[in-house]
């Protein structure tokens, strides 16, 4: 399959990819707000939004803080908690997980539930 046309078909993700092809990456632990804040303080973070039916959305590093404040923080569900989508703005949330890859960035995958 052409990597540029690849879309998310199911969650949770089992692999990561870009328009250039698959990445060597391993899914780590589910994480919440405190961990993501710590990652942002420590340095380079890449957010990736996984939404069924869409391409993976890689957020540019330069936009990560604004994206965190405006989009992720108000919609982030804490791991291991029961949620109702109605408790989040616009009735959607993200489940976050850390991924390890051959990259200098921490990768935080945000799986969208709506």
């Amino acid at each position: 399959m052409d990597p540029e046309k690849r879309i998310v078909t199911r969650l949770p993700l089992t692999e990561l990819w870009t328009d250039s092809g698959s990445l060597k990456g391993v899914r780590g632990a589910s994480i919440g707000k405190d961990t993501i804040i710590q990652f942002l303080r420590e340095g380079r973070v890449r957010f990736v939004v996984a939404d069924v039916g869409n391409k993976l959305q890689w957020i540019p590093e330069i936009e990560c803080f604004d994206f965190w404040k405006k989009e992720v923080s108000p919609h982030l569900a804490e791991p291991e908690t029961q949620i109702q989508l109605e408790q989040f703005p616009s009735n959607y949330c993200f489940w976050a997980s850390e991924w390890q890859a051959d990259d200098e960035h921490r990768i935080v995958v945000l799986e969208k539930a709506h």
Side-chain angles (χ1 to χ4, degrees):
M1 166 175 268
D2 182 353
E4 291 183 19
K5 296 179 182 174
R6 188 170 179 187
I7 63 169
V8 177
T9 57
R10 67 175 182 218
L11 297 174
L13 283 184
T14 56
E15 66 178 308
L16 295 177
W17 64 90
T18 66
D19 285 347
S20 302
S22 292
L23 295 179
K24 292 182 181 179
V26 178
R27 184 187 189 100
S30 295
I31 56 176
K33 185 177 261 186
D34 291 341
T35 302
I36 295 174
I37 289 170
Q38 176 186 342
F39 289 171
L40 289 166
R41 285 183 182 144
E42 291 173 357
R44 306 178 77 155
V45 175
R46 288 293 307 267
F47 288 114
V48 182
V49 177
D51 185 11
V52 172
N54 295 295
K55 293 173 57 170
L56 287 179
Q57 179 186 4
W58 290 83
I59 307 304
E61 181 182 356
I62 195 164
E63 297 174 16
C64 74
F65 289 106
D66 284 340
F67 186 73
W68 162 253
K69 287 189 278 185
K70 294 176 183 172
E71 182 65 15
V72 181
S73 182
H75 292 102
L76 186 63
E78 289 295 319
E80 310 296 324
T81 60
Q82 293 277 338
I83 60 112
Q84 292 184 355
L85 292 176
E86 296 80 25
Q87 73 191 67
F88 295 94
S90 302
N91 297 324
Y92 71 91
C93 71
F94 296 115
W95 297 101
S97 59
E98 178 184 13
W99 283 65
Q100 303 296 321
D102 296 332
D103 193 300
E104 59 207 48
H105 297 85
R106 288 189 185 267
I107 298 175
V108 175
V109 173
L110 302 164
E111 295 172 328
K112 190 173 185 178
H114 49 93

